[in-house]
Amino acid sequence: MPWGQVSCTARLCFSALLIATSLKTLTASDFRLAGDYVLGGLFSLHAETVGKSPFIRAEVPRCQTFNLKVVGYSFLQAMRFAVEEINNSSTLLPGVSLGYEMVDVCYHTNVVHPLLYFLANNHSRVQLQESYTCYQPRVLAVVGPDSSPGAVTMANVLSLFLIPQITYTATTESLRNPKHFPVAFRTIPSTEQMIKAMLLLLKHFHWNWVIVLIPVPRGSQMLSLEQQAKVQDIINMLHQSTAKVVLVLTLDLMLPFFFQEAVRQKVTDLVWIGTEAWATDPSLHSITNISRLGTFLGVAVREVPIPGFSTFRAKAPSNQTGGAGTWASDQGTCNQVCDRCFSAAKQREKELSDSGERTDFNVYSAVYVFAHALHRLLRCGSTGCHKRTVYPWQLLPEVRQVDFSLLNNKIRFDENGDPPNSFAIVQWRWDQDSHLFKKIAYYSTMHQKLLFGTDNISWHTPGNTVPVSICSNQCIPGQRKKPTGLHPCCFECVDCEAGTYFNESDHYNCQPCPVTHWSNARSQTCHPKVVTYLAWHDHRAVVLLIVSLLGLLTTLATLLTFAFHLRTPMVKSAGGGMCLLMLAALVICFLNILAYVGIPTEFKCVWRQTVSSFCFTLCISCIVIRSLQIVCIFRLMAKLPKAYNYWTKYKGPYIFMAVVLALKTVTLMINFLISSPAPVELPLEDNPAILVLDCKKTPAFLQMLDTALDMSLSVLCFCFAYLGKEFPKNYNEAKYITLWTTSYFTSWAILFVAITLYPGVLVPFFSALFSVVNLFGIVIGYFGPKCYIIFFHPERNTSAYFQTDIQTYTMRRK
C-alpha cells in the first residue's frame, strides 16, 4: 500500500516527531556498506553511560567501549556475513548488490535517533510531503532492534512509512497485530510460545509450586541503592519459600547483580528456569560460583550452525568503507574501522562459540528474507534482475509471502508475522570447556509439544534425582483436592465417600453415583448395585414353601373333613357352612405365600396387599361371629330375648360380616389409591450397595389402619371366648381361641423386631413366615380340636352327646 494512503492523523503525528528533532544534526552509522539496495540494522554493542552522542552534539546517554556486548557484536557480524554471502551468490539476486547501514543502539534506550537516521534521505533530512509514495529513505528495510520496547517503538513509526521490519529477539505479543503493525515481522517465536514451552517443562517434571520473578527492566545496568535493597529482599524471600523452582521472566539487565547477590547469600538447591533473553548468556554463566545456586535450565532459540560464520567473525575487518559517507570520528564507539572493538570481540570469541550460533541465525535469516523478497520483486532470473527504484511499501507484500528453506530450516511467516521456528530447552553445564549450554529437549511451535532428546540431565540433588517442587503431594486415585489456601496447587487430599466417585474432569468435587449404582470409599467408578430378592433357590424360601405346603395340605384335609361331616353336630356347632368359607379363605391365604417368593411383580404385590389381607380378615370375622353366637345363645337369649330375636331374624351374623368386609374393602382401596402396590428397589441402610427388590412399603398410617381392624377383631374374638369359658365343653373354645390370639399378637411383635434388626430380603421372608404362623394358629387352634373329636371320638359327635352336655351345663347353672 503506498504511503500516500496512510491517514492524515498518522502523518501529523510523525510530523510532530520531526519538528521535535529538527534542530539535531544526524550523522552516519557505525557500520556501513554501499550497495544497490541498502538494509538498516540495529544492534546493542555497548552499555550506556553519559557523554557525547555519536548522533547529536550534546551531552546525552551514549555507549561506552570498555563494556562491549559481544553477543550484540556477533549479531552484527551475522548480518554482514549474510550480506556478503548474498552479494557473492550467483543464484540469489544475481548482479545486484546489497548494502547495509548498522547502528549501535545501546540496548533499548537509543532507538529514536537511529530511526530518524534511517528515515532520512541521503541529505540527512526528512521533509514534510503530501505523499511519501515516491519517497526513498536511507534504507529499504530494517533488521532489529533486539529489545521488545525498542522494536515496538520502531514498528509504530516504520508502519507509517510502510518500511518492512524484522526483529530477531523481540518476543513481545504486542507485535502480533498486523492491523497496528503491518510492517512488523520476526524470526523468533513469540512470548506466548516461549511461555507454553516453560509450562510444558514444568508439567513434564510435575513442578506446580514455582516462584515467578518479573523485575521491571531498567535502562541501565547501574542499580540504585533502593533497587539493590529490593533485590536483596527478593533473595531473602527465596530462602524462606518452600518452592524449589524459580522462573525468571526478565530481561538480562538486572541479572548479574541478582545472581551475584544470590551467591553471596548462599542460595542453593534451586532449579532456575530462564527465558530466551538470558538462557544462553555466557557472561551470566561465567559469574563466580553461580553453579552453587542449583540447576539452570532455559528456553533458547534452536542452534543452527552457519557454515563459515565462526571464521568470518574472527577475521579482522577491512578498512575499506565500500562507499562514500561521513564516518563517526569518535573512537569511543565501535565501527568497522575500529581495531580496538575487533580486538575486544576477538578476546571473547570463546564465549560466542560456547553459547552457540542461536540468535545469529535469526539475524542471518532476516537478511535472507529481504533478499528473497527483493529477488521476487525484481523478477530475477538465472542471469540477472530487472534493476529499478524500489520503495519500501513495494517490498512489504513480498516479505509477507516469502517461503523458502535456509540451512534445512523453513523460513516463512504466518498471518501475525511469526515464524515456524522452535525453541530448545538447554541446561547450563560447568563440567566441560565447550558446549556450556546443552540441549535436553525440543519444543515444536507447530505441534506445541515438548520432546526430550535425552534423559541425561545433571541435577543438583543427591543421586541425581529430579527435584521435587510441589505445595502438596498428588492425591491417590479416588481422592479429591480440598483447597487449603489461595493457591490451587495447595490442597488436602480427601477420600471420596461411599456412594461417590472421583472424575478427572473435576479434581475438587466427588461426583455422586446414579441411583442404581454404588461405589466404595475412594472409588474412581461406580458399579451397579446388587439386586436381591427372596429367590426360589434360597434355603429360606425352600423352608417357607415346605411349611406353607404342609399348611395348605392340612387346610385342604380339614376342608374335606368338614365338608364330609357337614351335617354332624360338631361341624354345626363350629359354624356349619361358615366353616367351609373360613377354610376356603385359609386355602387362598396359604397359596398367597407363593407371592413372597421369586421376582416381585405388580400382580404379586397386589395379591399380597389386597386378596390375602381380605381373606385373612374374612376368616377372623367368621371366628368372631361364631364366638358371638355362642354368647348370644347361652346368655343373651335368656337375659335379652328380644335382642336375640332381632339378631336371628335380621341375619345379624351376615350383617356383621358385611360391615367388617366393607370396612376392609374401603381400607384396601384407600391403600391402593394412595400407594399403589408395585415392585421397587429399596436400598439397605447398612449396605447401600445392595438393592432389595420388594413390594413398595405401605405408608405407616395405612398399615396401622389395616392392622387395627384385624387386631380389633382378634380382641373381640378373645373377649367372647373368655365370656364363654363356663359354657358346655363342646361350646367352650376359650382355651383354643386364646392360643390362637396369643400366637397372633406374639407373631406381630416378633415380626416388628425382626424387620427392624434384619432388613433386606429377610423382610419378605419374615412377613410370609408371620402369615404362615397366623394361618397355622387358626387351623390348629380352631379346627384342630374339632377334627380330633371327629376322627378319634366319634361318640362325642352325636346329638345325644351334645344334648347331655347342655343339660349338664343347665343343671350346674341352677
Side-chain angles (χ1 to χ4, degrees):
M1 178 179 66
W3 195 92
Q5 299 180 18
V6 179
S7 66
C8 296
T9 303
R11 294 201 297 271
L12 289 175
C13 292
F14 185 72
S15 299
L17 175 63
L18 295 181
I19 294 172
T21 60
S22 61
L23 298 180
K24 298 178 171 57
T25 302
L26 302 176
T27 61
S29 61
D30 295 325
F31 291 82
R32 181 182 184 189
L33 177 68
D36 297 326
Y37 303 97
V38 180
L39 304 178
L42 298 175
F43 304 97
S44 300
L45 301 180
H46 303 90
E48 186 181 37
T49 185
V50 176
K52 187 176 181 181
S53 171
F55 291 99
I56 56 177
R57 296 165 183 158
E59 292 294 322
V60 295
R62 52 158 290 184
C63 300
Q64 47 184 336
T65 305
F66 64 88
N67 196 3
L68 176 68
K69 292 175 63 68
V70 294
V71 176
Y73 183 78
S74 182
F75 297 163
L76 179 146
Q77 294 289 47
M79 181 172 179
R80 294 183 61 230
F81 181 70
V83 171
E84 186 170 309
E85 270 193 349
I86 294 169
N87 288 341
N88 293 330
S89 173
S90 59
T91 57
L92 183 60
L93 292 177
V96 176
S97 63
L98 290 181
Y100 52 73
E101 295 270 4
M102 293 185 284
V103 178
D104 179 9
V105 294
C106 297
Y107 208 66
H108 64 269
T109 60
N110 191 20
V111 174
V112 175
H113 298 100
L115 172 62
L116 295 177
Y117 174 69
F118 287 160
L119 292 178
N121 55 24
N122 291 328
H123 301 288
S124 299
R125 296 183 181 278
V126 182
Q127 297 178 350
L128 295 178
Q129 299 181 12
E130 181 66 25
S131 173
Y132 287 88
T133 302
C134 298
Y135 177 74
Q136 193 167 17
R138 187 178 300 275
V139 297
L140 185 63
V142 176
V143 177
D146 55 0
S147 68
S148 291
V152 172
T153 300
M154 292 208 71
N156 275 293
V157 179
L158 294 179
S159 295
L160 302 178
F161 287 84
L162 298 180
I163 299 177
Q165 172 197 11
I166 299 180
T167 180
Y168 47 90
T169 57
T171 59
T172 176
E173 292 294 303
S174 302
L175 296 178
R176 301 182 75 245
N177 191 336
K179 291 184 178 180
H180 291 163
F181 305 113
V183 301
F185 303 88
R186 54 185 159 197
T187 53
I188 186 173
S190 65
T191 300
E192 178 184 0
Q193 297 297 331
M194 181 177 62
I195 296 300
K196 286 181 179 179
M198 289 182 170
L199 294 178
L200 288 175
L201 182 64
L202 297 177
K203 183 179 180 181
H204 177 81
F205 292 112
H206 307 288
W207 295 329
N208 61 13
W209 192 227
V210 181
I211 300 172
V212 180
L213 299 180
I214 313 178
V216 178
R218 304 295 303 170
S220 172
Q221 289 184 328
M222 301 299 295
L223 300 180
S224 65
L225 294 178
E226 180 182 358
Q227 293 166 349
Q228 294 180 21
K230 289 183 178 179
V231 171
Q232 293 171 352
D233 291 339
I234 292 175
I235 296 176
N236 288 332
M237 288 188 287
L238 292 181
H239 274 295
Q240 300 172 7
S241 175
T242 58
K244 297 300 180 181
V245 177
V246 183
L247 199 63
V248 186
L249 303 177
T250 177
L251 300 177
D252 59 356
L253 286 178
M254 298 178 65
L255 292 182
F257 176 79
F258 175 84
F259 285 125
Q260 290 169 3
E261 182 63 23
V263 172
R264 189 188 68 83
Q265 294 194 26
K266 298 181 180 179
V267 176
T268 58
D269 299 333
L270 296 179
V271 177
W272 304 84
I273 301 178
T275 62
E276 187 279 333
W278 64 273
T280 57
D281 191 334
S283 62
L284 294 177
H285 182 277
S286 61
I287 293 177
T288 304
N289 295 327
I290 193 173
S291 60
R292 296 179 181 177
L293 299 182
T295 302
F296 281 79
L297 304 177
V299 180
V301 178
R302 290 188 65 193
E303 182 177 2
V304 181
I306 305 174
F309 176 59
S310 297
T311 304
F312 177 87
R313 185 172 53 196
K315 185 175 62 174
S318 173
N319 290 334
Q320 300 299 322
T321 64
T326 304
W327 297 95
S329 60
D330 186 359
Q331 290 300 309
T333 61
C334 274
N335 55 52
Q336 65 194 64
V337 295
C338 177
D339 292 336
R340 182 180 178 185
C341 291
F342 167 73
S343 299
K346 189 172 183 178
Q347 291 174 2
R348 302 175 68 179
E349 171 65 22
K350 186 177 183 301
E351 293 185 18
L352 297 174
S353 300
D354 292 343
S355 62
E357 297 166 358
R358 301 179 185 277
T359 311
D360 295 328
F361 180 76
N362 291 350
V363 178
Y364 180 79
S365 60
V367 177
Y368 267 88
V369 167
F370 289 135
H372 278 269
L374 191 59
H375 186 91
R376 292 184 54 182
L377 184 62
L378 298 179
R379 293 179 295 172
C380 297
S382 59
T383 58
C385 302
H386 299 279
K387 290 185 180 181
R388 60 183 177 88
T389 300
V390 175
Y391 299 103
W393 60 267
Q394 295 175 322
L395 184 64
L396 181 60
E398 300 297 336
V399 172
R400 191 173 299 279
Q401 297 176 15
V402 295
D403 190 347
F404 62 96
S405 293
L406 183 63
L407 299 180
N408 297 322
N409 284 268
K410 198 69 175 176
I411 307 297
R412 64 174 182 268
F413 300 106
D414 62 13
E415 64 277 4
N416 296 317
D418 290 334
N421 298 4
S422 302
F423 281 116
I425 307 298
V426 298
Q427 180 187 18
W428 289 16
R429 304 293 294 268
W430 289 273
D431 56 351
Q432 300 177 5
D433 293 335
S434 60
H435 302 293
L436 305 181
F437 308 102
K438 176 185 177 182
K439 185 181 76 171
I440 61 174
Y442 161 73
Y443 171 73
S444 171
T445 57
M446 181 178 298
H447 302 96
Q448 296 188 356
K449 291 183 178 180
L450 197 62
L451 305 175
F452 279 79
T454 178
D455 294 331
N456 186 20
I457 303 175
S458 298
W459 301 105
H460 61 272
T461 55
N464 200 41
T465 57
V466 177
V468 177
S469 185
I470 55 177
C471 183
S472 302
N473 291 322
Q474 288 297 318
C475 297
I476 63 176
Q479 290 184 328
R480 66 178 179 87
K481 297 177 181 178
K482 179 182 178 182
T484 58
L486 298 177
H487 303 288
C489 55
C490 298
F491 50 82
E492 293 179 359
C493 294
V494 180
D495 291 347
C496 286
E497 298 177 352
T500 64
Y501 70 100
F502 176 77
N503 193 312
E504 287 291 342
S505 62
D506 187 353
H507 288 250
Y508 298 93
N509 297 284
C510 297
Q511 308 301 320
C513 291
V515 178
T516 58
H517 287 64
W518 186 253
S519 66
N520 297 324
R522 198 189 295 174
S523 295
Q524 292 181 279
T525 58
C526 296
H527 53 81
K529 292 182 178 180
V530 178
V531 180
T532 60
Y533 53 89
L534 192 59
W536 292 99
H537 59 272
D538 193 318
H539 64 279
R540 290 164 296 195
V542 173
V543 172
L544 183 63
L545 291 174
I546 292 175
V547 176
S548 301
L549 179 60
L550 293 176
L552 177 62
L553 295 177
T554 302
T555 305
L556 288 175
T558 303
L559 177 60
L560 293 176
T561 300
F562 270 58
F564 186 78
H565 299 86
L566 183 62
R567 298 188 180 279
T568 63
M570 180 57 69
V571 175
K572 289 182 179 179
S573 65
M578 192 173 289
C579 290
L580 300 180
L581 181 61
M582 292 172 60
L583 290 169
L586 290 175
V587 169
I588 296 175
C589 289
F590 274 113
L591 291 175
N592 177 65
I593 301 302
L594 297 174
Y596 288 88
V597 184
I599 299 177
T601 62
E602 188 170 356
F603 173 78
K604 289 183 178 180
C605 293
V606 172
W607 185 273
R608 282 166 52 175
Q609 296 186 16
T610 56
V611 177
S612 177
S613 179
F614 184 85
C615 292
F616 186 74
T617 302
L618 172 62
C619 187
I620 299 176
S621 63
C622 290
I623 297 176
V624 172
I625 293 173
R626 169 73 177 93
S627 301
L628 179 59
Q629 283 182 319
I630 294 176
V631 172
C632 290
I633 292 173
F634 288 97
R635 290 193 175 182
L636 189 61
M637 182 175 63
K639 297 180 179 180
L640 298 171
K642 191 173 183 180
Y644 178 76
N645 290 333
Y646 278 108
W647 172 260
T648 56
K649 181 178 179 181
Y650 294 103
K651 307 294 182 180
Y654 296 100
I655 294 176
F656 178 82
M657 182 180 293
V659 172
V660 170
L661 295 180
L663 289 176
K664 188 66 175 184
T665 302
V666 171
T667 302
L668 293 176
M669 291 181 62
I670 294 175
N671 189 359
F672 189 85
L673 293 175
I674 295 179
S675 178
S676 178
V680 293
E681 294 178 344
L682 304 174
L684 285 179
E685 294 182 0
D686 58 342
N687 190 359
I690 297 178
L691 289 176
V692 178
L693 184 59
D694 196 9
C695 295
K696 184 166 55 177
K697 291 183 178 180
T698 305
F701 73 97
L702 293 177
Q703 186 69 34
M704 292 176 60
L705 181 62
D706 187 29
T707 305
L709 179 60
D710 292 342
M711 285 193 170
S712 299
L713 293 175
S714 300
V715 171
L716 283 176
C717 188
F718 177 80
C719 293
F720 293 148
Y722 183 80
L723 291 175
K725 65 181 179 178
E726 297 179 353
F727 293 165
K729 186 176 181 180
N730 287 335
Y731 297 94
N732 186 354
E733 299 175 346
K735 57 182 179 181
Y736 304 116
I737 293 179
T738 300
L739 175 63
W740 166 72
T741 53
T742 300
S743 66
Y744 178 73
F745 291 119
T746 302
S747 60
W748 259 110
I750 295 175
L751 176 64
F752 177 77
V753 174
I755 63 177
T756 303
L757 298 179
Y758 303 101
V761 294
L762 293 179
V763 172
F765 171 74
F766 283 121
S767 298
L769 187 61
F770 162 77
S771 299
V772 171
V773 170
N774 287 331
L775 296 176
F776 263 110
I778 297 175
V779 173
I780 295 174
Y782 187 79
F783 293 100
K786 298 172 177 55
C787 291
Y788 174 78
I789 294 175
I790 293 175
F791 288 110
F792 298 103
H793 296 281
E795 70 278 5
R796 299 180 186 178
N797 190 17
T798 61
S799 299
Y801 184 82
F802 272 78
Q803 290 294 332
T804 303
D805 195 27
I806 294 174
Q807 291 176 1
T808 304
Y809 168 76
T810 303
M811 293 177 61
R812 189 171 62 248
R813 293 283 296 176
K814 294 179 179 181

